[in-house]
């Protein structure tokens, strides 16, 4: 299950990503926001992160205007490794090497077609383990 969330600055791209996931037959849960009314991105970052930390969802996608606020907020939560990505190579590598459990996108930064390629690259990638696990163990110890 993929958790997806956004603020008012990311709602259009979130809807496009949801359609993409539906077409691919991938299950997702939308944690809002559900309107273009101004809101606070940390609230939606927290909802998506909680779903991942609890085990309800395995991966998350967060969208705001730049992707930056969502990534800062998500990385404050214990157990989360959120990557702000603007290219497909980074989207793949952040799963393979960092085992990122969330990617963050900026609707005002990344065009729709590229954003969907980024989502696809992230979802298709697999964590490589090995030497990367040791590094993740180290960085995760910073949160405890
Ligand atoms: C909202 O205007 C904007 O600040 C937000 O979507 C995001 O870009 C924050 O990082």
């Amino acid at each position: 299950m993929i958790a997806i969330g956004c603020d008012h600055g990311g709602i259009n791209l979130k809807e496009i990503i949801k359609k993409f996931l539906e077409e691919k037959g991938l299950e997702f849960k939308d944690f809002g926001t559900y309107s273009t009314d101004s809101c606070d991105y940390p609230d939606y970052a927290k909802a998506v992160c909680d779903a991942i930390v609890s085990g309800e969802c395995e991966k998350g996608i967060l969208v705001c205007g730049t992707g930056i606020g969502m990534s800062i907020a998500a990385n404050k939560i214990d157990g989360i490794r959120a990557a702000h990505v603007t290219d497909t190579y980074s989207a793949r590598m952040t799963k393979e090497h960092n085992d990122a459990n969330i990617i963050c996108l900026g609707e005002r930064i990344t065009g729709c077609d590229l954003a969907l390629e980024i989502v696809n690259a992230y979802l298709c990638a697999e964590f490589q383990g090995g030497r990367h696990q040791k590094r993740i163990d180290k960085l995760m110890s910073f949160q405890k």
Side-chain angles (χ1 to χ4, degrees), residues 19 44 64 73 121 124 126 131 144:
K19 191 160 166 280
Y44 301 94
C64 64
C124 290
E126 285 183 23
R131 68 189 188 280
K144 291 187 188 108

Side-chain angles (χ1 to χ4, degrees), residues 68-85:
I68 296 171
M70 285 296 196
S71 64
I72 293 171
N75 280 309
K76 299 277 184 202
I77 310 270
D78 208 359
I80 295 300
R81 293 175 300 282
H84 175 226
V85 284

Side-chain angles (χ1 to χ4, degrees), residues 2-6 29-32 42-54 57 59-62 70 74 80 101-102:
I2 299 162
I4 187 161
C6 69
K29 185 167 175 184
D30 183 356
F31 288 85
D43 297 337
Y44 301 94
K46 175 98 170 42
V48 164
C49 290
D50 286 350
I52 291 170
V53 172
S54 73
C57 297
K59 293 176 182 175
I61 300 169
L62 286 167
M70 285 296 196
I80 295 300
N101 44 19
I102 293 183

